[in-house]
């Protein structure tokens, strides 16, 4: 019995000490793939216009933000439109250009906003501080703003600060991608775009539509000649002489401002201080443009009587020496100061049907391709961070 018990114990000990069968490592198991559950599609929001105002100093500036079709929660790139000279509303209504009436009203900024929204951009346009109930948004309208305040409140430097405040307000909205912001300025506003980009490094690029290169002194001299020619060709020699002389006298007064010899009389009904602030910024704009590290698109038209094609050519020569950004400068055939197209190349034979009632497709193509390129680049840069 003792021997049997001992053999049983040895047998049991041997079983416990034997090598156990190999167990596959966990890493050798291949788990069945988990079926991917498709995320529910986010609802599409329609294109819409939103009334949107912002405060700047004494002024509350009303405007409209046009939002494109987009997914719920999606942030889209945004463009802020900067006005041309005069009491421009948010819609930028133009009835013609110097020496050429269209015979209809073209809401330039409203049409531009609508077209860019169709291409995926939010566009903000607002009433210029010179446009309101106090003057019926008209050059010759009643104004309750004291003359002594005009030089301060309506100086061109204030328009720059308004545009920057508009951009800052738009960038805070939940629909807007703050890394894809752009300025698009027209005429005087186009000339201010290099200043705006210099002040706002977050802005990706700028569009300059019909921007003067020189100061208004030079432009008024050019416009005087254009007015004389156009009204003479239209069989109105007396009007040609009167309006041409008025513009030339204004140019001579601006020369006095530039030399510091002007005695303070209004120029074309406006205080000299307003012109002085515009001249100062116009002189700075080319230098700032050449130093920019972000691109500019400069567009003008061969049919522009307000800002001659030679002004756009001056931008081209000037920016050709800029190496920090890939600027693009173009003079587009048949395009006017209002960005529409006149199909009749002979200005003496223009008929109503020759005058386009919308923004030129060539303008929209240039602007949208430029914005698309730099909006996409900004998105790729952000994704790579």
């Amino acid at each position: 019995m003792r021997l049997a018990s001992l053999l049983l114990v040895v047998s049991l000990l041997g079983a416990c000490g034997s090598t156990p069968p190999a167990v596959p490592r966990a890493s050798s198991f291949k788990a069945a793939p988990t079926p991917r559950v498709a995320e529910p599609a986010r609802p599409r929001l329609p294109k819409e216009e939103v009334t949107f105002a912002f405060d700047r100093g004494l002024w509350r500036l009303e405007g409209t933000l046009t939002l494109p079709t987009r997914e719920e929660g999606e942030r889209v790139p945004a463009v802020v439109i900067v006005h041309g000279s005069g009491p421009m509303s948010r819609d930028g209504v133009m009835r013609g250009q110097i020496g050429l009436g269209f015979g209809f009203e073209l809401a330039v900024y409203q049409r531009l906003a609508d077209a860019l929204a169709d291409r995926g951009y939010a566009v903000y346009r607002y009433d210029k501080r010179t446009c309101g109930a106090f003057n019926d948004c008209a050059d010759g309208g009643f104004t309750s703003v004291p003359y002594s305040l005009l030089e301060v409140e309506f100086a061109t430097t204030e328009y720059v600060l308004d545009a920057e405040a508009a951009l800052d307000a738009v960038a805070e909205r939940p629909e807007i991608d703050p890394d894809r912001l752009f300025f698009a300025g027209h005429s005087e506003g186009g000339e201010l775009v290099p200043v705006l980009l210099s002040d706002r490094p977050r802005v990706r690029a700028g569009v300059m539509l019909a921007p003067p290169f020189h100061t208004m002194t030079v432009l008024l001299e050019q416009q005087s000649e254009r007015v004389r020619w156009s009204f003479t060709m239209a069989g109105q020699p007396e009007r040609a002489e009167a309006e041409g002389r008025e513009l030339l006298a204004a140019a001579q007064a601006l020369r006095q401002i530039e030399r510091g010899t002007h005695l303070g009389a209004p120029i074309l009904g406006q205080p000299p201080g307003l012109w002085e602030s515009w001249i100062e910024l116009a002189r700075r704009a080319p230098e700032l443009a050449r130093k920019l590290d972000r691109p500019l698109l400069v567009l003008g038209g061969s049919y522009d009587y307000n800002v001659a094609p030679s002004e756009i050519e001056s931008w081209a020569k000037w920016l050709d020496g800029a190496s920090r950004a890939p600027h693009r400068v173009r003079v587009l055939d048949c395009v006017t100061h209002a960005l529409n197209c006149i199909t009749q190349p002979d200005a003496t034979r223009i008929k109503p049907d020759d005058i386009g009632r919308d923004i030129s497709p060539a303008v929209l193509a240039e602007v949208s391709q430029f914005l698309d390129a730099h909006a996409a680049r900004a998105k790729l840069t952000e994704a790579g961070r």
Side-chain angles (χ1 to χ4, degrees):
M1 291 293 294
R2 287 181 181 176
L3 179 60
S5 298
L6 180 60
L7 291 172
L8 178 60
V9 170
V10 171
S11 174
L12 289 172
L13 285 172
C16 291
S18 64
T19 303
V23 178
R25 289 180 297 173
S27 60
S28 66
F29 286 107
K30 290 186 178 181
T34 304
R36 178 175 292 181
V37 179
E39 294 184 5
R42 290 187 290 179
R44 296 287 294 177
L45 300 177
K47 179 180 174 182
E48 60 181 321
E49 289 196 337
V50 179
T51 300
F52 176 47
F54 64 97
D55 294 317
R56 237 287 293 159
L58 300 175
W59 305 85
R60 181 168 180 79
L61 300 175
E62 302 284 344
T64 299
L65 179 65
T66 306
L67 292 167
T69 301
R70 63 207 183 279
E71 289 185 348
E72 189 176 71
E74 179 185 3
R75 287 176 172 253
V76 298
V79 179
V80 173
I81 294 178
V82 189
H83 323 75
S85 61
M88 300 293 285
S89 74
R90 73 189 75 179
D91 291 338
V93 176
M94 296 184 66
R95 299 170 180 83
Q97 58 184 4
I98 284 182
L100 177 63
F102 295 157
F104 58 87
E105 294 184 344
L106 177 55
V108 180
Y109 304 159
Q110 186 274 329
R111 297 290 182 87
L112 180 61
D114 190 60
L116 291 180
D118 287 341
R119 290 159 171 78
Y121 293 87
V123 184
Y124 186 56
R125 62 193 199 276
Y126 58 95
D127 296 333
K128 198 174 178 180
R129 64 171 50 211
T130 51
C131 173
F134 58 86
N135 67 346
D136 297 325
C137 198
D139 282 307
F142 170 79
T143 178
S144 57
V145 178
Y147 187 85
S148 59
L149 284 180
L150 291 179
E151 289 186 313
V152 176
E153 294 298 329
F154 290 171
T156 308
T157 49
E158 294 301 311
Y159 306 151
V160 170
L161 295 174
D162 289 345
E164 293 173 354
L167 181 97
D168 294 342
V170 168
E172 294 297 321
R173 291 188 62 94
E175 308 96 336
I176 304 305
D177 182 349
D179 291 313
R180 292 187 289 164
L181 300 173
F182 302 90
F183 279 117
H186 176 242
S187 196
E188 177 189 19
E191 191 172 35
L192 298 179
V193 166
V195 180
L196 293 166
L197 263 64
S198 297
D199 289 349
R200 287 293 184 274
R202 72 191 300 183
V203 177
R204 286 287 173 171
V207 177
M208 303 166 66
L209 302 170
F213 179 81
H214 297 96
T215 67
M216 278 303 296
T217 307
V218 175
L219 257 68
L220 287 175
E221 291 170 347
Q222 295 172 351
Q223 291 173 1
S224 173
E225 295 177 6
R226 173 59 65 176
V227 161
R228 289 176 188 272
W229 175 85
S230 59
F231 285 121
T232 298
M233 295 300 296
Q236 303 178 51
E238 292 182 1
R239 184 177 180 182
E241 180 61 26
E243 295 197 14
R245 192 187 312 116
E246 181 183 29
L247 291 174
L248 187 58
Q252 292 168 347
L254 294 187
R255 290 270 180 215
Q256 293 173 347
I257 287 180
E258 292 179 354
R259 293 193 297 262
T261 60
H262 187 69
L263 298 179
I267 303 171
L268 296 179
Q270 301 296 328
L274 299 187
W275 297 100
E276 186 174 3
S277 66
W278 188 354
I279 289 170
E280 178 188 353
L281 287 171
R283 284 174 164 172
R284 288 178 55 204
E287 282 295 340
L288 292 173
R290 184 177 270 181
K291 294 176 182 177
L292 281 174
D293 58 356
R294 284 149 294 148
L296 296 167
L297 172 65
V298 184
L299 295 180
S302 65
Y303 244 123
D304 191 335
Y305 289 177
N306 293 41
V307 178
S310 59
E311 291 293 295
I312 309 304
E313 291 164 1
S314 292
W315 278 112
K317 293 175 183 176
W318 180 259
L319 292 176
D320 187 52
S323 58
R324 300 190 67 195
H327 304 305
R328 180 174 174 82
V329 185
R330 291 290 181 275
V331 176
L332 301 178
D333 187 44
C334 85
V335 171
T336 77
H337 196 66
L339 308 182
N340 58 337
C341 175
I342 297 178
T343 56
Q344 171 55 259
D346 185 347
T348 64
R349 300 172 61 189
I350 296 173
K351 297 178 181 177
D353 291 344
D354 298 325
I355 304 174
R357 291 179 170 265
D358 208 341
I359 294 177
S360 162
V363 171
L364 294 176
E366 286 280 353
V367 173
S368 59
Q369 288 169 14
F370 177 82
L371 293 176
D372 289 349
H374 298 290
R377 188 168 297 145
K379 201 167 186 177
L380 287 173
T381 302
E382 180 66 20
R385 289 179 183 172

